[in-house]
Amino acid sequence: MIDSSHSMLPQNACEWAAVNKDSSGVKLHLKLAVASADEDFPERMIPSTPNVADIDVANYLMDVEDATYIMDRGYGYKTKMGGWLEIDIKFLVRVRKNFKYELVKSGTPTEENVTQFDLVSIQTRPEILRLIRFTDREGTDFILLTNRLD
């Protein structure tokens, strides 16, 4: 799992982390390894200033061949996913509502809160992906895209 968070720091305490003349901060891009249902641990961290996009750091955190990388919307870009598909990186990414795809085959959701369970493709890529749309207990809609079809 890859995540990032950031904090703003007092201006006089961190010129080394300046973003501009009025703000500075540190962003931590974290790779969290999930070993089992009961065990997870931070495996790798890359610090940056807050103006570094999450997606620009993602490939530096993806270094295990048989892992599945789980990422939030900041990582859901077709060009990056295309690169991951080319080198067989397994991923599950939350994508934005306006994410464009081509329907390959409609699926039948088997879970009550799942409203879409389709096979799709993204522009310029031949690989088949799974698109899953569901609503959580609080009523928030999520759209996930993965190349894990198993």
Side-chain angles (χ1 to χ4, degrees), residues 23-122:
S23 68
S24 58
V26 175
K27 191 177 202 180
L28 301 177
H29 306 269
L30 177 67
K31 177 180 174 182
L32 181 68
V34 179
S36 69
D38 300 324
E39 184 182 2
D40 57 57
F41 55 92
E43 185 174 297
R44 189 166 183 204
M45 178 197 64
I46 298 175
S48 73
T49 53
N51 58 342
V52 174
D54 297 339
I55 192 66
D56 292 336
V57 179
N59 287 352
Y60 295 103
L61 294 171
M62 297 176 162
D63 57 0
V64 177
E65 287 184 24
D66 60 346
T68 299
Y69 292 91
I70 302 170
M71 298 163 275
D72 205 358
R73 289 181 300 206
Y75 300 90
Y77 292 91
K78 290 178 185 175
T79 54
K80 286 291 184 182
M81 285 186 258
W84 302 334
L85 289 165
E86 282 184 21
I87 58 175
D88 200 30
I89 296 286
K90 302 293 186 225
F91 62 87
L92 182 137
V93 179
R94 181 178 174 198
V95 294
R96 291 176 166 77
K97 291 178 184 178
N98 62 351
F99 187 85
K100 303 287 186 224
Y101 59 88
E102 290 185 34
L103 180 65
V104 174
K105 182 179 179 185
S106 292
T108 303
T110 58
E111 301 293 324
E112 185 177 311
N113 61 336
V114 176
T115 58
Q116 190 174 359
F117 193 73
D118 296 336
L119 296 177
V120 301
S121 66
I122 57 176

